[in-house]
Amino acid sequence: MSVHIGATEGQIAETILLPGDPLRAKYIAETFLEGVQEPYNTVRGMYGFTGTYKGKRVSVQGTGMGIPSISIYVHELINSYGVKNLIRVGTCGAYKQDVKVRDLILAQAASTDSAVNRHRFGGNLDFAPTANFKLLKNAYDVAVSRNMPVHVGNIFTSDTFYNDRGAELVPLLASYGVLAVEMETAALYTLAAKFGVNALAVMTVSDHLITGEETTSEERQTTFNQMIEVALEAALQE
Ligand SMILES: O=P(O)(O)O[C@H]1O[C@H](CO)[C@@H](O)[C@H]1O
Ligand SMILES: O=c1cc[nH]c(=O)[nH]1
């Protein structure tokens, strides 16, 4: 057991999918994995399950929302359970007109307004959190081969969902090519770099910050199957 995960040694696979929502973890386990038993984790209701996908052992673990929460789970998954390939499967809000609701985003890099890395690096430099190239390439190839609408690029990992400066920030970041906003990827990529493991964030656009279009919370929890397919197929080729 680690501080926040109740699994015993060996219960978590080397490859893991990381949705923010623990109920999405349950949905993924029930819908995509075979041989899933009881959750290996229920601490704080943050479900984790292990099963197989096309014969490969894969786990899925909820991370909660925001950098502090995902950082705890990613730290413990890597250091207490030996996880090597971590793929976030999340939702995001689009910043650019040509990115549509339900499109897929592969985060090549993650800009952030979080101060976590400023503290980590002493405030004198800006670290650039980036995806693992092989996972990114695998995911892109899978999405393209299945004719899925996919975008690759920089995203914005925000510390806030409700941002007082949203009206200025959205057009500013969009003018620098930032595709979408979410709340965890910069931390995932930074911790993967720190501990020498592989990470990628695959996301579905759940709402549009320019057009105002939205999906329902039920849809966010259950129906974004394309991103799960892309994440699992990318992991198979690892
Ligand atoms: O759908 P998930 O994976 O939770 O991701 C996005 O949704 C949450 C905000 O609603 C934040 O965690 C954000 O990153
Ligand atoms: O963090 C997020 C996730 C989805 N949509 C947003 O606007 N923000």
PDB file of all heavy atoms in Angstrom, residues 18-21 24 63-66 88-92 161 181-185 203 206 220 227, ligand 1:
ATOM      1  N   LEU A  18      -5.186   6.992 -17.117  1.00  0.00           N
ATOM      2  CA  LEU A  18      -5.447   7.893 -15.998  1.00  0.00           C
ATOM      3  C   LEU A  18      -6.557   8.899 -16.331  1.00  0.00           C
ATOM      4  O   LEU A  18      -6.271  10.004 -16.819  1.00  0.00           O
ATOM      5  CB  LEU A  18      -4.167   8.660 -15.646  1.00  0.00           C
ATOM      6  CG  LEU A  18      -2.943   7.833 -15.258  1.00  0.00           C
ATOM      7  CD1 LEU A  18      -1.713   8.733 -15.139  1.00  0.00           C
ATOM      8  CD2 LEU A  18      -3.189   7.096 -13.943  1.00  0.00           C
ATOM      9  N   PRO A  19      -7.826   8.561 -16.081  1.00  0.00           N
ATOM     10  CA  PRO A  19      -8.886   9.549 -16.212  1.00  0.00           C
ATOM     11  C   PRO A  19      -8.967  10.389 -14.936  1.00  0.00           C
ATOM     12  O   PRO A  19      -8.658   9.892 -13.845  1.00  0.00           O
ATOM     13  CB  PRO A  19     -10.147   8.695 -16.363  1.00  0.00           C
ATOM     14  CG  PRO A  19      -9.821   7.430 -15.623  1.00  0.00           C
ATOM     15  CD  PRO A  19      -8.333   7.227 -15.717  1.00  0.00           C
ATOM     16  N   GLY A  20      -9.401  11.645 -15.040  1.00  0.00           N
ATOM     17  CA  GLY A  20      -9.594  12.442 -13.836  1.00  0.00           C
ATOM     18  C   GLY A  20     -10.725  11.870 -12.984  1.00  0.00           C
ATOM     19  O   GLY A  20     -10.638  11.801 -11.753  1.00  0.00           O
ATOM     20  N   ASP A  21     -11.781  11.435 -13.665  1.00  0.00           N
ATOM     21  CA  ASP A  21     -13.007  11.000 -12.997  1.00  0.00           C
ATOM     22  C   ASP A  21     -12.935   9.510 -12.631  1.00  0.00           C
ATOM     23  O   ASP A  21     -12.781   8.665 -13.521  1.00  0.00           O
ATOM     24  CB  ASP A  21     -14.161  11.254 -13.994  1.00  0.00           C
ATOM     25  CG  ASP A  21     -15.519  10.861 -13.461  1.00  0.00           C
ATOM     26  OD1 ASP A  21     -15.602  10.288 -12.361  1.00  0.00           O
ATOM     27  OD2 ASP A  21     -16.512  11.115 -14.176  1.00  0.00           O
ATOM     28  N   ARG A  24     -15.198   7.328 -14.565  1.00  0.00           N
ATOM     29  CA  ARG A  24     -14.733   7.002 -15.919  1.00  0.00           C
ATOM     30  C   ARG A  24     -13.762   5.825 -15.855  1.00  0.00           C
ATOM     31  O   ARG A  24     -13.719   4.992 -16.755  1.00  0.00           O
ATOM     32  CB  ARG A  24     -14.083   8.214 -16.588  1.00  0.00           C
ATOM     33  CG  ARG A  24     -13.906   8.034 -18.109  1.00  0.00           C
ATOM     34  CD  ARG A  24     -13.212   9.236 -18.774  1.00  0.00           C
ATOM     35  NE  ARG A  24     -13.766  10.470 -18.330  1.00  0.00           N
ATOM     36  CZ  ARG A  24     -13.031  11.545 -18.001  1.00  0.00           C
ATOM     37  NH1 ARG A  24     -11.726  11.522 -18.124  1.00  0.00           N
ATOM     38  NH2 ARG A  24     -13.609  12.636 -17.554  1.00  0.00           N
ATOM     39  N   THR A  63      -7.618   9.953 -11.122  1.00  0.00           N
ATOM     40  CA  THR A  63      -6.580  10.825 -10.540  1.00  0.00           C
ATOM     41  C   THR A  63      -7.145  12.020  -9.797  1.00  0.00           C
ATOM     42  O   THR A  63      -6.398  12.770  -9.173  1.00  0.00           O
ATOM     43  CB  THR A  63      -5.664  11.406 -11.640  1.00  0.00           C
ATOM     44  OG1 THR A  63      -6.447  12.252 -12.497  1.00  0.00           O
ATOM     45  CG2 THR A  63      -4.987  10.312 -12.431  1.00  0.00           C
ATOM     46  N   GLY A  64      -8.482  12.274  -9.923  1.00  0.00           N
ATOM     47  CA  GLY A  64      -9.026  13.513  -9.400  1.00  0.00           C
ATOM     48  C   GLY A  64      -8.691  14.671 -10.322  1.00  0.00           C
ATOM     49  O   GLY A  64      -8.076  14.486 -11.374  1.00  0.00           O
ATOM     50  N   MET A  65      -9.119  15.865  -9.890  1.00  0.00           N
ATOM     51  CA  MET A  65      -8.959  17.047 -10.741  1.00  0.00           C
ATOM     52  C   MET A  65      -7.827  17.930 -10.251  1.00  0.00           C
ATOM     53  O   MET A  65      -7.726  18.216  -9.061  1.00  0.00           O
ATOM     54  CB  MET A  65     -10.261  17.846 -10.744  1.00  0.00           C
ATOM     55  CG  MET A  65     -11.379  17.142 -11.478  1.00  0.00           C
ATOM     56  SD  MET A  65     -12.853  18.167 -11.608  1.00  0.00           S
ATOM     57  CE  MET A  65     -13.607  17.852 -10.030  1.00  0.00           C
ATOM     58  N   GLY A  66      -6.990  18.375 -11.184  1.00  0.00           N
ATOM     59  CA  GLY A  66      -5.975  19.368 -10.872  1.00  0.00           C
ATOM     60  C   GLY A  66      -4.612  18.776 -10.575  1.00  0.00           C
ATOM     61  O   GLY A  66      -4.459  17.580 -10.295  1.00  0.00           O
ATOM     62  N   ARG A  88      -2.851   9.691 -19.730  1.00  0.00           N
ATOM     63  CA  ARG A  88      -4.036  10.387 -19.243  1.00  0.00           C
ATOM     64  C   ARG A  88      -5.129  10.311 -20.300  1.00  0.00           C
ATOM     65  O   ARG A  88      -4.862  10.515 -21.502  1.00  0.00           O
ATOM     66  CB  ARG A  88      -3.668  11.841 -18.944  1.00  0.00           C
ATOM     67  CG  ARG A  88      -4.843  12.772 -18.812  1.00  0.00           C
ATOM     68  CD  ARG A  88      -4.511  14.051 -18.095  1.00  0.00           C
ATOM     69  NE  ARG A  88      -5.476  15.090 -18.408  1.00  0.00           N
ATOM     70  CZ  ARG A  88      -6.731  15.115 -17.972  1.00  0.00           C
ATOM     71  NH1 ARG A  88      -7.194  14.143 -17.192  1.00  0.00           N
ATOM     72  NH2 ARG A  88      -7.549  16.092 -18.305  1.00  0.00           N
ATOM     73  N   VAL A  89      -6.351  10.008 -19.890  1.00  0.00           N
ATOM     74  CA  VAL A  89      -7.502  10.026 -20.794  1.00  0.00           C
ATOM     75  C   VAL A  89      -8.512  10.994 -20.186  1.00  0.00           C
ATOM     76  O   VAL A  89      -9.248  10.647 -19.264  1.00  0.00           O
ATOM     77  CB  VAL A  89      -8.102   8.605 -21.014  1.00  0.00           C
ATOM     78  CG1 VAL A  89      -7.259   7.824 -22.012  1.00  0.00           C
ATOM     79  CG2 VAL A  89      -8.228   7.809 -19.723  1.00  0.00           C
ATOM     80  N   GLY A  90      -8.510  12.228 -20.701  1.00  0.00           N
ATOM     81  CA  GLY A  90      -9.279  13.271 -20.021  1.00  0.00           C
ATOM     82  C   GLY A  90     -10.136  14.086 -20.960  1.00  0.00           C
ATOM     83  O   GLY A  90     -10.177  13.843 -22.161  1.00  0.00           O
ATOM     84  N   THR A  91     -10.812  15.059 -20.375  1.00  0.00           N
ATOM     85  CA  THR A  91     -11.597  16.001 -21.170  1.00  0.00           C
ATOM     86  C   THR A  91     -10.889  17.352 -21.173  1.00  0.00           C
ATOM     87  O   THR A  91     -10.076  17.642 -20.287  1.00  0.00           O
ATOM     88  CB  THR A  91     -13.023  16.165 -20.604  1.00  0.00           C
ATOM     89  OG1 THR A  91     -12.948  16.637 -19.249  1.00  0.00           O
ATOM     90  CG2 THR A  91     -13.776  14.848 -20.638  1.00  0.00           C
ATOM     91  N   CYS A  92     -11.197  18.153 -22.177  1.00  0.00           N
ATOM     92  CA  CYS A  92     -10.583  19.481 -22.261  1.00  0.00           C
ATOM     93  C   CYS A  92     -11.535  20.437 -22.959  1.00  0.00           C
ATOM     94  O   CYS A  92     -12.501  20.020 -23.596  1.00  0.00           O
ATOM     95  CB  CYS A  92      -9.242  19.399 -22.997  1.00  0.00           C
ATOM     96  SG  CYS A  92      -9.378  18.844 -24.703  1.00  0.00           S
ATOM     97  N   PHE A 161     -10.514  26.077 -12.993  1.00  0.00           N
ATOM     98  CA  PHE A 161     -11.548  25.795 -13.995  1.00  0.00           C
ATOM     99  C   PHE A 161     -12.306  27.089 -14.289  1.00  0.00           C
ATOM    100  O   PHE A 161     -12.577  27.404 -15.445  1.00  0.00           O
ATOM    101  CB  PHE A 161     -12.498  24.716 -13.454  1.00  0.00           C
ATOM    102  CG  PHE A 161     -13.519  24.266 -14.450  1.00  0.00           C
ATOM    103  CD1 PHE A 161     -13.218  23.282 -15.389  1.00  0.00           C
ATOM    104  CD2 PHE A 161     -14.791  24.822 -14.465  1.00  0.00           C
ATOM    105  CE1 PHE A 161     -14.162  22.868 -16.320  1.00  0.00           C
ATOM    106  CE2 PHE A 161     -15.737  24.420 -15.384  1.00  0.00           C
ATOM    107  CZ  PHE A 161     -15.427  23.449 -16.317  1.00  0.00           C
ATOM    108  N   VAL A 181      -7.670  23.669 -23.106  1.00  0.00           N
ATOM    109  CA  VAL A 181      -7.335  23.782 -21.690  1.00  0.00           C
ATOM    110  C   VAL A 181      -7.797  22.546 -20.919  1.00  0.00           C
ATOM    111  O   VAL A 181      -8.851  21.984 -21.220  1.00  0.00           O
ATOM    112  CB  VAL A 181      -7.968  25.060 -21.076  1.00  0.00           C
ATOM    113  CG1 VAL A 181      -9.491  25.046 -21.195  1.00  0.00           C
ATOM    114  CG2 VAL A 181      -7.561  25.262 -19.623  1.00  0.00           C
ATOM    115  N   GLU A 182      -6.995  22.130 -19.952  1.00  0.00           N
ATOM    116  CA  GLU A 182      -7.363  21.087 -18.988  1.00  0.00           C
ATOM    117  C   GLU A 182      -6.563  21.351 -17.721  1.00  0.00           C
ATOM    118  O   GLU A 182      -6.013  22.447 -17.578  1.00  0.00           O
ATOM    119  CB  GLU A 182      -7.168  19.677 -19.574  1.00  0.00           C
ATOM    120  CG  GLU A 182      -5.784  19.411 -20.122  1.00  0.00           C
ATOM    121  CD  GLU A 182      -4.765  19.006 -19.107  1.00  0.00           C
ATOM    122  OE1 GLU A 182      -4.870  17.886 -18.601  1.00  0.00           O
ATOM    123  OE2 GLU A 182      -3.810  19.785 -18.843  1.00  0.00           O
ATOM    124  N   MET A 183      -6.455  20.380 -16.812  1.00  0.00           N
ATOM    125  CA  MET A 183      -5.912  20.742 -15.502  1.00  0.00           C
ATOM    126  C   MET A 183      -4.836  19.804 -14.930  1.00  0.00           C
ATOM    127  O   MET A 183      -4.495  19.930 -13.755  1.00  0.00           O
ATOM    128  CB  MET A 183      -7.073  20.865 -14.495  1.00  0.00           C
ATOM    129  CG  MET A 183      -8.082  21.942 -14.894  1.00  0.00           C
ATOM    130  SD  MET A 183      -9.488  22.069 -13.767  1.00  0.00           S
ATOM    131  CE  MET A 183      -8.709  22.690 -12.304  1.00  0.00           C
ATOM    132  N   GLU A 184      -4.288  18.863 -15.718  1.00  0.00           N
ATOM    133  CA  GLU A 184      -3.347  17.891 -15.122  1.00  0.00           C
ATOM    134  C   GLU A 184      -2.070  17.603 -15.912  1.00  0.00           C
ATOM    135  O   GLU A 184      -1.068  17.162 -15.337  1.00  0.00           O
ATOM    136  CB  GLU A 184      -4.049  16.521 -14.907  1.00  0.00           C
ATOM    137  CG  GLU A 184      -5.141  16.504 -13.866  1.00  0.00           C
ATOM    138  CD  GLU A 184      -6.486  16.946 -14.408  1.00  0.00           C
ATOM    139  OE1 GLU A 184      -6.637  16.981 -15.652  1.00  0.00           O
ATOM    140  OE2 GLU A 184      -7.376  17.295 -13.619  1.00  0.00           O
ATOM    141  N   THR A 185      -2.098  17.788 -17.228  1.00  0.00           N
ATOM    142  CA  THR A 185      -1.026  17.216 -18.065  1.00  0.00           C
ATOM    143  C   THR A 185       0.373  17.738 -17.752  1.00  0.00           C
ATOM    144  O   THR A 185       1.348  16.964 -17.775  1.00  0.00           O
ATOM    145  CB  THR A 185      -1.378  17.419 -19.556  1.00  0.00           C
ATOM    146  OG1 THR A 185      -2.607  16.732 -19.797  1.00  0.00           O
ATOM    147  CG2 THR A 185      -0.312  16.862 -20.469  1.00  0.00           C
ATOM    148  N   MET A 203      -6.905  13.463 -25.058  1.00  0.00           N
ATOM    149  CA  MET A 203      -8.107  14.088 -24.507  1.00  0.00           C
ATOM    150  C   MET A 203      -9.208  14.245 -25.541  1.00  0.00           C
ATOM    151  O   MET A 203      -8.932  14.328 -26.738  1.00  0.00           O
ATOM    152  CB  MET A 203      -7.753  15.449 -23.915  1.00  0.00           C
ATOM    153  CG  MET A 203      -7.098  15.279 -22.554  1.00  0.00           C
ATOM    154  SD  MET A 203      -6.263  16.737 -21.997  1.00  0.00           S
ATOM    155  CE  MET A 203      -4.976  16.875 -23.168  1.00  0.00           C
ATOM    156  N   SER A 206     -14.581  18.378 -24.586  1.00  0.00           N
ATOM    157  CA  SER A 206     -15.916  18.262 -23.979  1.00  0.00           C
ATOM    158  C   SER A 206     -16.708  19.556 -24.101  1.00  0.00           C
ATOM    159  O   SER A 206     -17.927  19.551 -23.968  1.00  0.00           O
ATOM    160  CB  SER A 206     -15.788  17.892 -22.502  1.00  0.00           C
ATOM    161  OG  SER A 206     -15.020  18.872 -21.826  1.00  0.00           O
ATOM    162  N   ARG A 220     -19.457  12.930 -20.643  1.00  0.00           N
ATOM    163  CA  ARG A 220     -18.062  13.036 -20.214  1.00  0.00           C
ATOM    164  C   ARG A 220     -17.628  11.788 -19.459  1.00  0.00           C
ATOM    165  O   ARG A 220     -16.482  11.365 -19.516  1.00  0.00           O
ATOM    166  CB  ARG A 220     -17.878  14.242 -19.278  1.00  0.00           C
ATOM    167  CG  ARG A 220     -17.963  15.545 -19.986  1.00  0.00           C
ATOM    168  CD  ARG A 220     -17.986  16.688 -19.008  1.00  0.00           C
ATOM    169  NE  ARG A 220     -18.683  17.800 -19.620  1.00  0.00           N
ATOM    170  CZ  ARG A 220     -18.338  19.061 -19.481  1.00  0.00           C
ATOM    171  NH1 ARG A 220     -17.324  19.394 -18.745  1.00  0.00           N
ATOM    172  NH2 ARG A 220     -19.016  20.007 -20.064  1.00  0.00           N
ATOM    173  N   MET A 227     -11.137   8.123 -27.518  1.00  0.00           N
ATOM    174  CA  MET A 227      -9.858   8.414 -26.836  1.00  0.00           C
ATOM    175  C   MET A 227      -9.355   7.193 -26.060  1.00  0.00           C
ATOM    176  O   MET A 227      -8.148   6.975 -25.957  1.00  0.00           O
ATOM    177  CB  MET A 227      -9.961   9.651 -25.935  1.00  0.00           C
ATOM    178  CG  MET A 227     -10.443   9.437 -24.542  1.00  0.00           C
ATOM    179  SD  MET A 227     -10.359  10.947 -23.584  1.00  0.00           S
ATOM    180  CE  MET A 227     -11.692  10.625 -22.436  1.00  0.00           C
TER     181      MET A 227
HETATM  182  O1  LIG B   1     -12.136  14.879 -17.488  1.00  0.00           O
HETATM  183  P1  LIG B   1     -10.920  15.018 -16.612  1.00  0.00           P
HETATM  184  O2  LIG B   1      -9.936  13.939 -16.866  1.00  0.00           O
HETATM  185  O3  LIG B   1     -11.243  15.148 -15.142  1.00  0.00           O
HETATM  186  O4  LIG B   1     -10.201  16.390 -17.073  1.00  0.00           O
HETATM  187  C1  LIG B   1     -10.773  17.693 -17.074  1.00  0.00           C
HETATM  188  O5  LIG B   1     -12.011  17.799 -16.386  1.00  0.00           O
HETATM  189  C2  LIG B   1     -11.842  18.383 -15.087  1.00  0.00           C
HETATM  190  C3  LIG B   1     -12.595  19.685 -15.030  1.00  0.00           C
HETATM  191  O6  LIG B   1     -13.935  19.487 -15.278  1.00  0.00           O
HETATM  192  C4  LIG B   1     -10.331  18.592 -14.922  1.00  0.00           C
HETATM  193  O7  LIG B   1      -9.801  17.487 -14.246  1.00  0.00           O
HETATM  194  C5  LIG B   1      -9.882  18.687 -16.355  1.00  0.00           C
HETATM  195  O8  LIG B   1      -8.518  18.425 -16.594  1.00  0.00           O
END
